[in-house]
Amino acid sequence: MCGLGSGCLFPVVFAVEEGPLKDEDAENLLDGLSVDESRPERPVLLDEQGRPLRTWQENYPYSQKLQRKEYERRKRVLQIELLKLQKSVRDQGLRIVVLCEGRDAAGKGGTIKRFTERLNPRGARTVALDKPTEREASQWYFQRYVAHLPAEGEIVFFDRSWYNRAGVEPVMGFCTPEQHRQFLRQAPLFEKMLTEDGIILVKFWFSVSRAEQRTRFAIRQVDPVRQWKLSPTDVASLDLWDAYTRAKVEMFRATDTEHAPWTVVKTNDKRRGRLEAMRHLLLRVDYEARDEAAVGKADPLVIGAADTLLEPGRTRRTSRPAGSPTPTKAPASTRPARVRPPCSPGTARRTDRARWPARRGPAPQPVAPAAMRPLSSCAVRPPGSRPSRTLSRAASCNAAFTGVGTPCSRPSSTNSPLR
């Protein structure tokens, strides 16, 4: 664990106790909010004026959520296509790994549930590992995940994966900075081995806004059937939002590769996010009897590459979080000097004494030493001879590039240099 002022990417963190949420933490989540109890099966949070919270609209491209009736219709169509995909995976012996990563309460588990809702469980399974045992902690970090990779004809969904070491572990202090750096070096190599062996690797990052994350934590607290999802680690993450952002940016920079790219899904509206994730998998893998009209096209406002769907305060070019220092230009004394050639094709630099500035010292001699004289039409002419009219500009410039001899002049009364 690194301390303040040590140049560490993450701040000092504290050990989080396991177990149920404390009463004071629960009260903080519901501070200033109330619950609409008219529909106990679907609790709704209300603000101080008694209006339903609309935190899902933060940094989201749509002003209205997708209605349930339309959502159910689209979901059924895509699930039929997923069954076609599963049949092709089984018939062709394909292996597919789908990683579902993101912040707490971003909708990872709910999306996986919709993926597998209609699939044959014999060929599709979900992996959601608990914290490593003492024995697993002593192994190579990726070792316990290798045991869950698919065989031929299988699709495996990871509800969190080896990327725990890129996010929650360094932020919460569950690994050392050196272990974190080692993971960022090894992860692209590990994934390249998987893809070179024929595994189709799909990596999703489910993105949720800060206010919406807090709202979902509060709903988990008041809904008895979802309280098991809320842990002290989740509540602690609310105050570590910026640290998680820095960890995510570092992860994208190191592991968003050509062979294993990241796909970001905005899930403030869970329904739209689930449909786009399902559609992306169908578009990623070729399978028999695909219905192009049923699959449709991806919505670029909701799903895209890691450098296209950015949080406020980040730029596409650098993916740098807001408030981070801007790189400064190196001093002139430390920058390498630019070396310019004597001339470019079709030009020659005039070095006659008439135009040579006195401050630059004596002008160079027009005749090279005999031992270095080039054997070409640009060699020095004997006294009294006339220049050849077949001399080309390219030959003239070639002599200038070699640094030997002087560029030949175009035959003219003024002996002007080539332009």
Side-chain angles (χ1 to χ4, degrees), residues 206-392:
F206 295 97
S207 176
V208 64
S209 67
R210 191 171 193 170
E212 177 63 11
Q213 183 189 48
R214 184 182 184 88
T215 298
R216 292 179 183 180
F217 283 166
I219 291 178
R220 288 180 178 182
Q221 173 60 26
V222 300
D223 189 355
V225 299
R226 284 187 277 187
Q227 286 180 357
W228 64 271
K229 292 184 177 182
L230 190 61
S231 68
T233 302
D234 296 336
V235 178
S237 68
L238 290 172
D239 297 327
L240 296 171
W241 178 272
D242 293 335
Y244 273 102
T245 299
R246 289 192 292 270
K248 180 185 70 171
V249 171
E250 290 298 315
M251 179 191 72
F252 282 164
R253 287 175 176 168
T255 63
D256 186 26
T257 59
E258 184 177 353
H259 57 271
W262 279 101
T263 299
V264 178
V265 185
K266 288 190 172 185
T267 56
N268 273 18
D269 183 356
K270 292 183 179 180
R271 296 169 185 170
R272 279 194 172 94
R274 293 165 183 168
L275 296 179
E276 291 303 324
M278 296 164 66
R279 180 178 290 110
H280 177 79
L281 180 60
L282 294 171
L283 293 172
R284 176 76 181 273
V285 184
D286 291 330
Y287 60 94
E288 296 180 1
R290 173 192 284 170
D291 187 342
E292 299 290 348
V295 175
K297 296 182 179 180
D299 184 351
L301 298 178
V302 178
I303 190 170
D307 64 341
T308 58
L309 297 182
L310 305 176
E311 294 178 353
R314 287 172 51 201
T315 61
R316 177 173 299 182
R317 187 173 184 179
T318 63
S319 295
R320 187 182 299 111
S324 60
T326 303
T328 58
K329 191 175 182 180
S333 59
T334 62
R335 294 198 301 268
R338 293 177 55 190
V339 180
R340 297 176 59 184
C343 65
S344 57
T347 64
R349 192 176 294 176
R350 183 169 181 173
T351 59
D352 58 285
R353 191 175 299 274
R355 292 194 176 186
W356 191 264
R359 59 182 174 82
R360 297 180 63 181
Q365 297 298 322
V367 180
M372 300 176 62
R373 197 168 295 167
L375 299 177
S376 68
S377 57
C378 281
V380 178
R381 299 190 300 273
S385 63
R386 300 187 62 183
S388 171
R389 295 187 178 274
T390 61
L391 179 64
S392 66

